[in-house]
Amino acid sequence: MVDVHAALDRAGLRNVHVREYVRYWAELTGVARVEVVSAADDARLIAEALAEGEIQPAGEGRYYSRSYAKDTARSEERTVVATSNPADKGVYNNWRPAAEMRRLLEERMRGASAGKTMYVVPYLMAPAGSPLERYAAGVELTDCRTVALHMIRMARGGVAYSEGLADPGSFVRAVHVTGDLENLGQGTPEDQRYFVTIADERTILHFGSSYGGNALLGKIAHGLRQAAYDGWTSGEFLAEQFMLIGITDKVTGRRYHICGGFPSASGKTNLAMMLAPAALADRYRVDFYGDDIAWLRVDPDDGRIYAINPEFGVFGVARDTNEKTNPIALASVAPGTGTLFTNVAYNDDTQEVWWEGRTPDPPADVTGWRDWTGKLICERPAEEAGAPWAHPNSRFTTTLANVPNIAADFDDPKGVPIDAIIFGGRASDREPLIRAIADLAEGVYDGLTLGAEATFAAEGIDGLLRYDPMSMRPFMSYHEAAYAAHWLKLIGSARSQPIFAHVNWFQRDPEDQHYLWPGYRDNLRPLLWLLRLQAGEVHGRPTPVGTVPVRGELDLDGVAIAPGDLETILAIDTPRWKQEMKYRAEHLEQFTDLPEQIWQAHRRVAEALDDAD
Ligand code: OXD
Ligand code: MN
């Protein structure tokens, strides 16, 4: 039997609670070896993974891996939030009883790591010294070396974190067991996978995947689901799937911070990594803090909302990342960064990687190129000729320090004060470029009714959004009415209120489908307008759904936009909005006991739209 204690002694891991936790799961899963790892082990783990063929070199200091073909994305149907209190059941959290899920997962995990190494990764989902540090500590146990390599990039890690706990027994227990991927029945009625957060026991048990979104337990399972639950039960904070950026006005020296939620495929990572457009670059600088998660709390000293990015890296979608859409992301994965690519296309001979949208066309010379499943492109049968080379959810994993415009204070334990909270989904009509919302209940209402058009025609009805409240639909860990109440209470308790806004970069011309707004770097312009509105420097035009810019208030220096297009994206399409209000009412009615302030906000907007006729 594996000598767990000797391995923990060697690593200097003395916390008795962590030791007992590791012993329990090492014995249950049947691992052959236990190893405590941190960033200091990266070079050795990389060398071992290369030697075992788990990863391949992708140019200097970069690596490539393929996952099992049926294990390429998060599985929302197999994801569960369990507690001992049935009242925690909401619409989206797939609630199940804690005792039942623990039993089930223990059954699945028993002996399932036989012969493997258990990597013990103590981690912290916060800058060290953060006021939220006690909610940030965790120890992931994983039987997969590439998962350990990802964790080292995505979370601050090391024994110091588990040794230095103020309450030595208080850490998230996060167990990942890969399972026999080829025999798990993924997507069938016999699906064996389970991704469970037992939120009131601060325990995460994920079985049946080695894909990052299911296996890097610090990120989504702890950083979002567990943290959202902890933030609610403690009353201390919000954990949201939000990007976080800083904007510096180099003339006045003022710094602003904006965070916000965007459903997937709505440009969140590109926005988070945005640079100022050339015409404004002398005056403004945009700093990156995070692309995916923010924890928000009220600071007792100045009464403002402060945000941290609890992560230490970026686990970004590769598809469509190129010099125009996101030059910062490309620089962040450049040679020498230690980046891990997953499920992109790979060239055996040159060690290059490629994904759809990296260049307009795939490499012309297909020699050596394999698609994400490992098939040589030159051997593809004719009927597969047009199939993507990279998986649509192929990823790059790189640490924050590799992002060229990472904010100088990204590691500040206090976090940064938030000026504005924005929401934005992909909508081809109705939603203007930006509409500002000063009222808290209307801002929270806007977040709860956030949605994006279904990506595939088959999944959606024309004009109907797939609602994704606050972009947290897959990460909700308690019921939505309590979630709304927690938002109202926490943000409402701040002495200085952030402004809310809804943005949309994706309106199209109904005739020829061209995008009406250029997007990308130019998205800074409506955000600057929002900050000027908050400062009282511009006044905009009030509408039933918020304040929109009047033409002259947007700095459009250097933007090529047709006057008619600008008019459309600053207009409110009242009939379409009235139609949307009916869908919103149906969406909100699912959430029993929603706070009355949210319904009042809904009715205020609906009545204002009626009066606008
Ligand atoms: C996600 C992610 O799945 O950030 O949302 O990876
Ligand atoms: Mn995400």
Side-chain angles (χ1 to χ4, degrees):
M1 186 176 293
V2 54
D3 189 347
V4 177
H5 289 292
L8 300 181
D9 286 345
R10 274 197 300 280
L13 199 158
R14 282 181 284 273
N15 180 325
V16 290
H17 303 273
V18 177
R19 291 175 77 97
E20 174 51 22
Y21 156 67
V22 177
R23 184 205 60 78
Y24 181 84
W25 287 99
E27 284 177 14
L28 187 135
T29 57
V31 288
R33 289 165 298 280
V34 169
E35 221 187 88
V36 183
V37 297
S38 70
D41 300 294
D42 194 56
R44 176 180 58 81
L45 293 172
I46 288 277
E48 289 172 8
L50 285 167
E52 292 297 321
E54 294 159 1
I55 59 173
Q56 288 165 274
E60 187 223 326
R62 309 195 302 180
Y63 310 94
Y64 171 63
S65 74
R66 280 185 198 106
S67 67
Y68 174 59
K70 291 181 188 161
D71 185 31
T72 55
R74 280 190 289 106
S75 164
E76 291 179 21
E77 324 74 69
R78 307 302 301 169
T79 300
V80 165
V81 177
T83 66
S84 299
N85 184 0
D88 291 336
K89 181 174 167 51
V91 174
Y92 295 129
N93 64 350
N94 290 342
W95 181 87
R96 299 277 290 273
E100 178 191 322
M101 293 318 290
R102 185 179 278 275
R103 214 171 28 248
L104 215 143
L105 268 290
E106 290 204 352
E107 253 169 46
R108 297 257 195 296
M109 290 181 172
R110 185 159 286 117
S113 306
K116 294 189 174 183
T117 299
M118 174 179 274
Y119 299 94
V120 178
V121 192
Y123 65 81
L124 192 70
M125 295 305 291
S130 159
L132 298 176
E133 187 169 321
R134 65 188 169 287
Y135 303 107
V139 180
E140 173 156 352
L141 310 179
T142 174
D143 63 3
C144 177
R145 186 163 21 213
T146 43
V147 169
L149 285 168
H150 276 82
M151 275 301 286
I152 287 170
R153 283 156 181 73
M154 292 301 297
R156 295 162 176 88
V159 165
Y161 295 124
S162 58
E163 291 305 288
L165 292 174
D167 173 355
S170 179
F171 58 93
V172 169
R173 289 150 171 82
V175 186
H176 165 246
V177 171
T178 304
D180 179 7
L181 293 176
E182 286 169 32
N183 292 295
L184 295 177
Q186 293 92 336
T188 70
E190 283 73 48
D191 203 326
Q192 297 295 301
R193 300 171 298 163
Y194 262 117
F195 309 115
V196 182
T197 299
I198 308 179
D200 54 356
E201 297 176 17
R202 307 193 76 230
T203 295
I204 296 163
L205 303 175
H206 279 208
F207 172 78
S209 169
S210 63
Y211 162 71
N214 299 322
L216 313 177
L217 303 185
K219 182 181 176 61
I220 289 172
H222 182 163
L224 287 172
R225 293 191 193 97
Q226 182 65 54
Y229 184 87
D230 290 344
W232 169 57
T233 50
S234 67
E236 278 188 52
F237 67 108
L238 299 165
E240 305 297 332
Q241 192 190 207
F242 280 5
M243 62 94 209
L244 176 59
I245 57 172
I247 298 173
T248 301
D249 181 335
K250 296 190 236 174
V251 171
T252 64
R254 262 223 63 180
R255 282 179 65 68
Y256 304 88
H257 300 95
I258 299 180
C259 65
F262 294 73
S264 49
S266 297
K268 178 159 58 90
T269 301
N270 293 345
L271 181 68
M273 294 186 157
M274 161 181 72
L275 291 171
L280 303 186
D282 283 346
R283 171 125 193 216
Y284 298 102
R285 193 184 71 236
V286 185
D287 290 326
F288 175 81
Y289 285 88
D291 72 319
D292 200 40
I293 303 182
W295 290 4
L296 276 57
R297 68 181 176 92
V298 179
D299 190 82
D301 292 338
D302 63 5
R304 296 186 70 183
I305 304 287
Y306 277 72
I308 53 163
N309 169 15
E311 303 197 84
F312 197 54
V314 178
F315 179 57
V317 174
R319 191 189 187 125
D320 287 333
T321 303
N322 58 49
E323 281 79 2
K324 171 162 189 232
T325 60
N326 199 334
I328 290 287
L330 288 185
S332 309
V333 302
T337 52
T339 301
L340 296 171
F341 294 98
T342 310
N343 290 344
V344 296
Y346 179 75
N347 191 308
D348 283 346
D349 302 338
T350 63
Q351 303 178 348
E352 289 169 285
V353 290
W354 187 85
W355 51 83
E356 272 63 30
R358 173 67 191 85
T359 50
D361 297 307
D365 178 0
V366 300
T367 315
W369 281 102
R370 290 181 188 272
D371 70 14
W372 70 274
T373 66
K375 282 203 205 111
L376 275 171
I377 300 290
C378 64
E379 288 178 3
R380 277 182 159 187
E383 63 277 15
E384 282 176 23
W389 289 23
H391 189 278
N393 192 34
S394 54
R395 298 279 179 150
F396 57 83
T397 309
T398 189
T399 56
L400 293 184
N402 289 325
V403 181
N405 66 335
I406 184 74
D409 58 350
F410 86 96
D411 215 18
D412 186 337
K414 187 169 178 170
V416 290
I418 292 298
D419 297 280
I421 299 177
I422 62 175
F423 301 111
R426 181 180 282 270
S428 57
D429 70 351
R430 185 182 54 79
E431 273 295 0
L433 179 65
I434 186 164
R435 50 186 176 88
I437 302 166
D439 177 75
L440 168 62
E442 280 178 33
V444 175
Y445 162 73
D446 193 71
L448 294 174
T449 51
L450 175 63
E453 277 160 11
T455 324
F456 303 104
E459 280 180 12
I461 302 171
D462 240 9
L464 188 61
L465 300 185
R466 178 185 191 264
Y467 290 106
D468 187 344
M470 308 267 188
S471 70
M472 283 291 282
R473 179 176 169 140
F475 314 116
M476 281 286 177
S477 55
Y478 56 104
H479 59 87
E480 290 79 4
Y483 177 88
H486 182 42
W487 257 87
L488 290 170
K489 189 163 174 208
L490 191 124
I491 305 286
S493 71
R495 289 202 294 281
S496 160
Q497 290 288 296
I499 192 165
F500 288 85
H502 197 108
V503 297
N504 178 28
W505 326 131
F506 301 102
Q507 272 215 55
R508 285 175 182 259
D509 182 290
E511 303 286 306
D512 65 10
Q513 296 298 310
H514 77 268
Y515 285 108
L516 303 184
W517 174 249
Y520 304 114
R521 293 178 177 209
D522 289 316
N523 294 338
L524 181 62
R525 299 169 190 272
L527 299 183
L528 292 172
W529 172 83
L530 180 67
L531 297 171
R532 294 185 64 210
L533 181 78
Q534 193 183 29
E537 293 165 19
V538 293
H539 301 288
R541 177 172 72 86
T543 80
V545 291
T547 303
V548 298
V550 293
R551 219 177 230 272
E553 291 175 347
L554 276 177
D555 186 339
L556 294 177
D557 182 18
V559 184
I561 182 167
D565 288 356
L566 183 61
E567 201 173 305
T568 307
I569 59 174
L570 298 182
I572 300 301
D573 181 343
T574 309
R576 277 288 285 114
W577 268 98
K578 285 181 161 179
Q579 182 191 28
E580 167 63 11
M581 293 307 282
K582 295 201 189 81
Y583 298 138
R584 285 184 170 194
E586 283 167 25
H587 161 67
L588 293 179
E589 270 156 18
Q590 304 173 88
F591 310 134
T592 44
D593 299 327
L594 207 56
E596 185 49 27
Q597 293 107 296
I598 300 297
W599 280 116
Q600 282 166 357
H602 176 76
R603 285 194 293 270
R604 268 202 308 278
V605 174
E607 281 160 21
L609 284 164
D610 286 342
D611 292 348
D613 276 349

